[in-house]
Structure formats: C-alpha cells, structure tokens
Amino acid sequence: PRSTWSRKVRSKRDDFEDILEERRNSSDLRYAFKCYTPVLYRGLTPCKAATLKSMVLQSEQLLHVINQVSAESGESTDVVKDEAAAILEEMAHRLQLRTIRFFAYTLSKAFKALYRSVCVNEEGIQRLQQAMQEHPVVLLPSHRSYMDFLMMSYILYTYDLSLPVIAAGMDFLGMKFVGEMLRMSGAFFIRRSFGGDQLYWAVFSEYVKTMLRKGYAPIEFFLEGTRSRTCKSLTPKLGLLNIVMEPFFKGEVFDVNLVPVSMSYERVLEESLYARELLGVPKPKESTSGLLKARKILSEDYGSMHVYFSPPVSVRSLAQGRINRSQFNLTPRHVAQKPSEETQAFVNDVAYRIVRLQQENMVVKPWVLVATLLLQSVEGMELTELMEQTSWLRDLARMFGAFLDWPDHTPCSMVVSSSISLHRNLACVSGSRISLVVEGPQGPETPEEALFNRAVSVLSCASYRNQVLHVFLRPALLAMALSNANSSRKEDIYSCFDFLRNVFSDEFILSPGASVQDFDEACHLLVKCGAVELLHQDVVMAESGRTVLSFLTLLLEPFLQGYQVVCRYLREEATENLTEKQFIPAVRSFAVKLHLSGSLKCYEVLSSDLQKNALNALIRLNVVRRVRTLKS
Amino acid sequence: FSCSSSGVKPAVATGLVGTVQQQDIMKWNGWGYADSKFFFNKKGQGEFTGKRYRLSGLILPSLKDWFEGTFGANLQHKSPPSLNTSAVAPPSLNEAFVEELKSTGIPFSHDTEDRVFRAHGHCLHEIFSLRDGRVGRCPDMVVWPNCHNDVVKIVELACKHSVCLIPYGGGTSVSSALECPPEETRSIVSLDTSQMNRILWIDEKNLTAHVEAGIIGQDLERLLNESGYCTGHEPDSMEFSSLGGWVATRASGMKKNIYGNIEDLVVHIKMVTPRGVIEKSCQGPRMSTGPDIHHFILGSEGTLGVVTEVTLKIRPIPEYQKYGSVVFPNFQQGVACLREVAKQRCAPASIRLMDNEQFQFGHALKPQVSSIFTSFLDGLKKFYITKFKGFDPHHLCVATLLFEGDREKVLQHEKLVYDIAAKFGGLAAGEDNGQRGYMLTFVIAYLRDLGMEYYVIGESFETSVPWDRWVLDLCRNVKERIVRECKEKGVQFPPLSTCRVTQTYDAGACVYFYFAFNYRGLSDPVHVYEQVEHAAREEILANGGSLSHHHGVGKLRKEWMQETISSVGLGMLKSVKDYLDPNNIFGNRNLL
C-alpha cells in the first residue's frame, strides 16, 4: 500500500503563493505590529511559559524519576529536584510575542534582501490550521539551513497560526544574545547527547509531552537531527518522534498529527561552507560575531525558496492495526516504559515515511538538473549539449514524479542560462562551453590545494544534484543491478538490487523492509519510460533504454566508487586498532594519495559524510566490527 | 415506582399456559411497560404516558427542541414500526421431551407470542428487528418451573432428550445473551424462572433472606420492605430484572457503596447443572476452601445451569434518604472530586457524575413548571451559576447524590461530601436535580423507543477503568472516536455521544456511555451502529477500560474474551463448562 499511497500524493500538489510579494508592497512595521490572533487547539486553556515549567516539575512522571535518581545516588530529593529545575531552566523556551514581532520586522527585511520569492502552498496552511484546532500538531520540516526554523516561525506568524516551540541544539546557546533571542521566539534547547542521563531525559521528555498534551503550541523539530550538509535527506533520528507519539499510545490525547514540511532553497545560504566542512575544515562554532560577518551574504541573490506543508499525517490512523495500545494498560502512566520492539519498528517506519513525504514535496529547481548533468562531465561540456540533455532530463524527472519548478512558456535555453547565472559561483560559461568554477588563490597552488579547491566545487555542485536523488534513486539502483547481475532473471536482478539497496541504506532514505516495494516501484518507472521490458521471468534492457540506464548508473557511480575506496583503505592500510576518530582523516589522506597519483578521479569520496555512511554500512553488514576500549 | 401485577399463576390447559404476568403488561417490541411511553403531542410537545413514574402524565416542553437540535431529527419524519408477527418460523419440538414434560405437570407453551417475547433482550439490533417485524431463531417452547425441583426435572429431561435450554429471567439483557444461536439444530427451550418468585425465609438473626431466583427486583424489595428489610441492590433495570439474572451476569446496584454489588450480597447459591446440583454446605460468611465456587456461577451467563435459590444479605430499611446534587464548572473538576470522595472512602449510597451533554439532556426532560414563581426561581438559579459563578453552560456538569442511613449521620455525611465538592469548585444544586437525575435512569430506556419513531437509534454501554487520568482520557477518547466513526460511516448529523461516571471504587470507576444518532440516509443503520459500537469498545480497551463492568459479555462482546482474560484463563472457564455441561445443554453460547 505504501507505493500506491505515495503515487497518489504525487498526482496532485497544491499551488504556491509568494508571501514576500505583500511584504514588498506594504509596511513591514505595520506587519510586525499586526493584530495576531491565531486559532488555538480546542482543548487548550492558555497558560504562561512559567506555568508550563512548574507543571513539568510537579508532574508525576518527573517526580517518579527524581525519587529514583535520589534513591540510586543517595542525594536528597531536594537536591535532585533543584538539578531538574536547573536543567529545565536551561532548556525551556520563553516564547513572547514582542520578540516574534521584532523578528517579523527584521526577517522581512532580510528575506526580501536574500530571496526573490518565498513560496508557500496556502492549501497546506489551511489544512494545518484545521489540524491545529483538532489535535496536537508536530511540525517536521526538512533541515538544510539555519534559515529553516526562522522561516517556519515567520510563515506561521504571517498566516496567523500558532507559533511553534522548536527543539534546537544546545550549541546555539553559545551565541550570546542570539541564543536568548531564539529562546524568546520559541526555541527550547537540548543537549546533543545525554545518553545515560536519566534525569535529563525525564525532564526533556516530560517538557515536550506536557506541551503536546496540553496542545500548548505546535511542536517543531528536525527528524534529521541536524542540518544536512549534503542536501541529501539524513537517516531520521527517533528520540523525539518517540516522545511525541507516546501521549497517543498511552491514550492521553486522541490523536497526534504529524505535518511534514519540505523546505527547498534555490541556493542554500551555507553551500560552500558545507562543502568545506565535509572536506574537514572544522565547522565554525556558532557565534554572534560569526553571524554578523555573515551579513555580507545579504548582498547576494539566493533566488527563490519553496515551502510545502504536506497534509497532516494522523498517528492514530498509522497505528491502526500495528500498535496494540492496551500493552500500556498494566503500568501506571507515570512509569516510563522502554518501547517494545513492535513500537520501535513502528516509530522507525513512521520516521521514514515522513522523510519520504518531505522528499516528495521538495521542489526541484532547473539548476538541480543542470548540476546533475555537469557532474557527469566534470571536464565541462558544450552548452548546446547541456541544453538538450537538460530538457531530456526534465522530461524524465517529471515522468518519475519529481516536483519540478520549471517556468511555463519559457524556452529551455533561457531557463538553463538564467539558473547558471544565479549560480555563477559554481558554473561558468566560456565561449560555447560550460564548466565548473574552481576558486583558487591568485598565483601558484600546491597539488593538494588544487585538489581541495576542485573538491569544494564538486561537492557544492553535488549538494544540488543530491536534491533530485530521491526521484531517481530506486530506478538507479535497478539500473545498477541490471548491469551487475549474473543473469537477466528477475530473481537475480532482485537479489542484486536488494544487495545494493542494503549497502546504500545509510546513504539514502530507504525504508527498512520495503525492498520489494522499492523494486516494484523501480521496475514500474523504468518500464514506464521505456528503458526496460519485463518478459515473463526476465527484466531486460529495451533498445532505447541505453541513455536512461547509463545516466542512472552514472548518477550513483560516485557513491559506488567512494564505498570501494573506503573498502580498499580498510583492506590495504587500516590497522587493528583504528579509532573512529582517526578513521575519517585516514580515509581522506588515503583518497588524496590516490587522487594525486592519478588513479582516482572521483571527488566525492573526500566527503566525510560518505565516509561515515560507508563505515556505518560496513558495521551494519558485519564487515567491520566496533570494539569498545577502555580509556587509559 | 408502582408495582407490577404479579403472582397470577399460569393456568394449565392441555399442557399450555394461558397468561403469564410480565408479558401482558410489557411492550413486546420496546422497553418496559406497555402503558408508559414518550410521544410528541399535536402541539409538538413531549409527553410521557401512564402513571408509573414521576414523569408520567407530564408535558416536557424542552424535549422537542433538544431532540431536533441534538440529532437533527424532524418530527415530520417518522419511521413507524411495521407490525408483522407472522414471520416466526413454526416451533421445532422434541416430541419425546414434550411428552415426558407433560407428565410432570410443569406448565409450558409453544405459542408464538410467548416464544418471540423470550427470543430477545434489549440490544438495539434486537429491538430494531422486532420493530421491523423481523424475528430470527426463536425458542421452540417455553417452560415455567415453579420451584427448584421442577428445574431439576426439566434439566434431567433436557439431558435425556438432548434439548437445548436457555434460562430466562427478566429479559433485560443488553449483550445478545438471549439470542438463540441460529446454528442450533436441537429444539430450544426457554426456561422462564418467573414463577419461582417467593421469599422462602427471612433470618433476622443473621440478616439473610432465602429467595427463589426468579423474583423480579422491585418485587423482592417490596416484599422485604413489608418485613422492614431491604437488600439495597438496585440495578437500573430492577423494575424488570431478576435475582437469578443478577447472579448470572455479576450485576451491580446503584447503592453498592453501602450494600455492595451482587457478589458481596450473596451468601449462598443453589444452581442446577446437567452434572447435578451445586451448592455449599453452610452459610459461613467467608471461607477458605479453595477458589470460591460461587465465582464460577456469578457471571456464568446461563452457560452452566439455572440458579434456583439464593441466600442474600438483608439490611433494615434506612431511616432516612436524601437526594442531592452538585454543579461543577467542568467534567475534569467533577472527576477529581469523585476521586477524592473515593479516596476518603466517604461515597454516599450513590454518586454519579453526568457530563455536559447529559446535563443538557436532563434539562430537556424538565416538566412544564407549575408556577411563575418556580420559573422565576429557575431563572435565578441559572443566572447565579452561569453569570455570578462564571460557569460555562457548555462545560458545566452535574453530580447526583443519594444519601441513606439514620438522619443525623446522613446530614453529617452530606456536609462532608459537599465540603469536598466545594474544594473542586462544586456548588450544591439542590435535591430536586438529584432526584431527577436518578429518575432519568429509569425513563431513558423509554426514550430510545421514541427516537426509533423518528429515525434516531442509540444504545448505552459501560466499562470500568482505573482512576488517575484514565477516566478523563478514556471518556474523551471514546466520545471522540464515536463522533469520528459516525462521520466516516456516513452519518449525516453529529451523534449524541455522552458519558457519566456511575460508580466509584477505591481503584477506579464505572463509566457509562450513551450514544445515539439520526440514521436518515443510511441503508443499513443497525450495521453502522454496530460498527461504531465495536470501534468504541476497541477504543475502551485500548485506553485501559474493561470489557464490561456489569452488562456482561453475552455474545456481543465474546470476541474480546481471550484478549481480556488470556487464553489460559479462557481455557480454565472452558474446562469448567466441559465438566458441568459436556453436551452443551445450556447452549446459549454466551461468554466462551
């Protein structure tokens, strides 16, 4: 049912409305001081942020854990209570309308400077408004940029919807002033890791659940956990999702609505920063001065941005027939229970489903197609050829269900050249040829420097290609399986497909256990575009299928090569006691060595993201073993 | 309540019974007494006929508006019953059984009306079919044993001739328990206990009474009252339900806080099974003699045998009774108050909490006021509560109270409870509101018949659930589920979905739901109704509610038994059934 369900979604998408248009025509100040009266959750008795805190601190759930911790540690409950209060103090948001109005004003200015347009599907907003009255709502946006949560709150304010409370990483608190500003605009802060800290977990989960149960405000968090540096969706994290679903499992609320939000940027603010980070230049620590320096970006053109609010997904209907809620009946509700395997698998499935919904409604810009093609000819190509191929790829992408933002009634050449000009930092046209821009110092550079600069360009470009990977992923895995399988028999091809899918399931969003559906979907699409034919027990390439299949194979080639390099490194150079910390730099220098000797042409293997994913895959497949050693 | 005419012995004419008391004064296709029913008069005002109830003969001016407003029903749209009893299949009699039965002199009948009357309980689908003139499998004959020994003879004959027996008490089942299994090929005999209705002795030293199990609740109380005693067991169905039925379904009485539920009241039970008669040898107040055999009988729902005689605890009639009521600003506060009352173990004889919808419903049944003064007073009360105290009329809810005991203690008790209520924002709202609340319990079943005349069908169901927040969450989730399911199933107008807390315990409460909707435009309303009730039950179970607090399982809720008591538990019950009744003589197929 999953595949038919996703196809149904694809068949109809809402229209967009540019919310900046009005900002350009009327006073920002008036907008910031407009009358803001959002529709509230019907069961809500409004309360202050401070009341919320004391509710959490007095909750049975938390008191239970406080008593436990106190019994275990021998400290008095008052001490533990104070500790809990301190954790909550550090964590809790202090949402206030004043700050929101301040942001509404400044962000209007900033967004108008940065973006040509910010397009929102208004039908999605209407559905959201409806849902917010009926049930507690959890907003689950994709995460590509710092802009994401500012933009989310900005949009909700614009449409007079309840402002969300947002789970943010503690690192923002490092930025004096800004951290507190974010707190006052609804952010609450959680530590990146608090593995064994029972008290922290209890405070945190009770805080979130209290807000959810009360319908205090929509809760917003990023399923991917962090900004995706590659613009590829990241494997979802389950912690918070577990927390927000629990009140439904335990019958404390009738339902919880999850709303996937796809935020697509024509140009990501952080694009080259990300590429450098992936190549091992450390991520700049969040600091206020850093933010101020970033002001120069205000003078650049970041094109348009699209925000798509998918229809709310009811946890109740997803859980129908999968979760036996009476399993929670035999323990008092304030006693935390470890989720059963059944529940964990369910939450995991929901997480994947949401990420796929985010992907499906992510708007694909023409430049994404251009970048995809450019990466397949790194040495550059004829402009006319590019135009032709782009137009071909556009049709293919459409056929595969991509949500393309392609202007009507404009010749392909115009579309391509205007998107090249927006991304002139990445691609340049000289004469009749187009190639990647490689920034470098004026004057001589070492071979390592040259390699690094080139890699920055390629990875920046790849971050655009990655935005369309979800469209081609399944057919591409099939294309790869077709060229690697022992025969054209369907079982052989499927087992090869399944193997590849398994290898790459840390790299791409591939729901666990959906191999057969994915295979069927891939077959369906490749048959639809005429690339393969299904004959009885065989899957064979069609006469006209070569172009499509080789494009698809090339699309995944960098990943395949990257994984191969990681394997080669592990086989040839790795020693018994390689630590995880050493692994990434070691693989990187191994790859650099191969590059400089001319035996490797692929740049993406230099990306720490790919290296981590490859390692995780190898660990998962029991090829590599993780051993804990005691710290000396 | 006035009493029913009872004690008319069936005349035996050529082995058949001419008249049998209850049946003649009761509706055959609806609830209760034939002379008591709601109807809308020519002016469109609601009225309740008869003389039996406080509401009888009164005009109910707000009923129409409430009825039309709540259900979107229209008095122009009537759905009258089609009367057609000829649809009943002729009886399939076991001749050998009939012959031998005749020789015992025990009255019996295979008259169609007698059979149809005992072929059903009061589930919606049963009454709906009857109104439509549709009758499913009926008992093939009815027998009226007069005493324990008659039952022993009948059971022996049934075993000998392989006849299926279905015990019948008051016929108030709401669990499809009386429905004849359509797959039953043997002759089905309805064993009507109504003639076994005597109090055999009263023991004032031990405060017990030994009673035949066919006695109807109100008769039992009336007869005991004549001697200055009562059992205090008052289930809402007590006008019609029988002692044996209470035992067989684990009934619960309104005043259980003082007197206990049926399992607390019973001292001794005699039951006739195919294996023989089961009873204890003494009447010790408590025994440590292995698992209590009474607990195999209590709740056995007619699957093991016929309860013939019961020794019950009795109490002197209380000196003083006082009703009361409390208005709360919302349901949460009300539940919190009930919880506190239960915690302090100071619950009055009865304490019930109606939600807002039921409060409004109660108002719809307010009779026309007799004087301008009363109406002025009502207006003043309303003003005080809503304007002065700031209660939202769409959220407030009412608790009804009944105190019993000696006068001084009642007044003390009353103060204690009102003081607790005040802590939860409760305002005392007078005796009259309390009394009306309890009266409602008895007439609400009649109201369903009125609804059915105007395309409205409904039913009640119940559960028990632990305190903390389960009570609140369960009520909200179940009500919401009902509303949603109705919408999904194409019900045009939002249903009435309301609940009340009817009993409190140390560790939880009993919650009672009413659910009704306007079925115009639906091709198979009963099916829709059943789907929604099914979904509601699933929701109850998912939210930590029990399968039943006092209605029992019957055939309606059988599918959840294994989930409820585990497969081992179910196996235990089955092995008892296999031992007592290996040939399934008591073949009503309830419970297991």
Side-chain angles (χ1 to χ4, degrees), chain A residues 113-116 267 297-304 422 424:
Chain A
L114 289 169
Y115 302 116
R116 295 178 189 175
R267 247 188 97 190
I297 58 175
L298 284 179
S299 57
E300 290 213 25
D301 179 0
Y302 288 91
S304 62
L422 183 70
R424 51 187 170 270

Side-chain angles (χ1 to χ4, degrees), chain A residues 425-441:
Chain A
N425 61 326
L426 291 179
C428 66
V429 179
S430 53
S432 64
R433 284 186 74 77
I434 174 165
S435 58
L436 285 185
V437 172
V438 180
E439 273 184 56

Side-chain angles (χ1 to χ4, degrees), chain B residues 15-256:
Chain B
L16 290 175
V17 177
T19 52
V20 174
Q21 84 291 45
Q22 288 287 47
Q23 189 176 340
D24 296 333
I25 54 166
M26 287 174 73
K27 293 195 194 79
W28 68 278
N29 64 352
W31 177 261
Y33 297 110
D35 58 14
S36 301
K37 61 180 274 204
F38 284 100
F39 76 105
F40 289 112
N41 62 24
K42 288 199 177 106
K43 288 191 213 154
Q45 290 169 315
E47 266 188 59
F48 192 63
T49 62
K51 293 192 181 116
R52 296 173 187 275
Y53 300 91
R54 226 165 70 107
L55 218 53
S56 299
L58 293 180
I59 293 201
L60 315 163
S62 342
L63 184 60
K64 174 174 175 268
D65 286 347
W66 175 83
F67 186 71
E68 293 191 328
T70 306
F71 298 107
N74 188 324
L75 296 195
Q76 307 309 316
H77 297 140
K78 281 197 95 173
S79 50
S82 46
L83 302 162
N84 171 23
T85 42
S86 63
V88 184
S92 117
L93 297 175
N94 182 316
E95 293 301 338
F97 175 79
V98 176
E99 277 313 306
E100 270 200 67
L101 187 66
K102 260 185 199 159
S103 67
T104 64
I106 300 170
F108 65 90
S109 151
H110 44 74
D111 173 70
T112 308
E113 223 174 276
D114 291 338
R115 291 167 53 215
V116 171
F117 193 80
R118 286 160 188 80
H120 67 87
H122 284 271
C123 284
L124 175 79
H125 67 268
E126 295 172 316
I127 299 301
F128 197 87
S129 307
L130 281 176
R131 282 175 60 90
D132 257 5
R134 285 180 283 122
V135 184
R137 175 84 157 95
C138 279
D140 297 298
M141 59 187 280
V142 183
V143 295
W144 285 271
N146 195 43
C147 61
H148 172 79
N149 287 337
D150 281 357
V151 175
V152 173
K153 282 181 213 156
I154 294 168
V155 173
E156 267 169 17
L157 289 182
C159 292
K160 184 174 167 194
H161 299 290
S162 187
V163 159
C164 172
L165 289 179
I166 298 186
Y168 181 92
T172 55
S173 150
V174 281
S175 58
S176 301
L178 289 170
E179 240 173 55
C180 298
E183 67 271 31
E184 180 60 64
T185 51
R186 296 170 296 184
S187 179
I188 299 180
V189 175
S190 177
L191 190 153
D192 185 321
T193 58
S194 60
Q195 305 312 304
M196 310 197 305
N197 56 5
R198 287 153 294 223
I199 296 178
L200 298 176
W201 46 255
I202 292 176
D203 176 349
E204 296 182 85
K205 291 248 165 49
N206 293 309
L207 285 180
T208 53
H210 192 65
V211 188
E212 286 183 315
I215 196 165
I216 300 302
Q218 58 172 329
D219 298 338
L220 174 61
E221 282 313 273
R222 185 176 40 79
L223 292 172
L224 283 174
N225 287 353
E226 285 169 10
S227 319
Y229 293 101
C230 67
T231 62
H233 184 70
E234 294 183 11
D236 291 354
S237 60
M238 71 173 290
E239 297 167 277
F240 310 108
S241 57
S242 68
L243 170 58
W246 300 339
V247 170
T249 55
R250 294 182 67 87
S252 168
M254 179 178 97
K255 299 194 287 197
K256 73 94 193 154

Side-chain angles (χ1 to χ4, degrees), chain A residues 42 135 251-252 316 333, chain B residues 469 473 476 480 484 539:
Chain A
R42 58 182 170 153
H135 302 292
E252 295 167 327
R316 172 176 278 266
R333 286 194 292 190
Chain B
R469 295 179 43 226
D473 289 337
R476 183 201 49 232
E480 174 99 31
R484 273 161 190 269
E539 194 62 32

Side-chain angles (χ1 to χ4, degrees), chain A residues 83-130:
Chain A
E83 228 175 286
I87 293 173
L88 188 59
E89 200 53 41
E90 177 194 71
M91 179 183 308
H93 72 83
R94 278 202 301 277
L95 183 62
Q96 45 175 248
L97 199 55
R98 257 181 300 166
T99 321
I100 297 297
R101 294 198 189 279
F102 167 78
F103 270 114
Y105 180 75
T106 46
L107 287 178
S108 291
K109 299 284 178 214
F111 289 156
K112 281 190 282 188
L114 289 169
Y115 302 116
R116 295 178 189 175
S117 61
V118 173
C119 301
V120 178
N121 64 325
E122 287 198 339
E123 280 168 70
I125 294 284
Q126 279 157 20
R127 287 187 298 248
L128 178 61
Q129 187 181 25
Q130 186 68 36

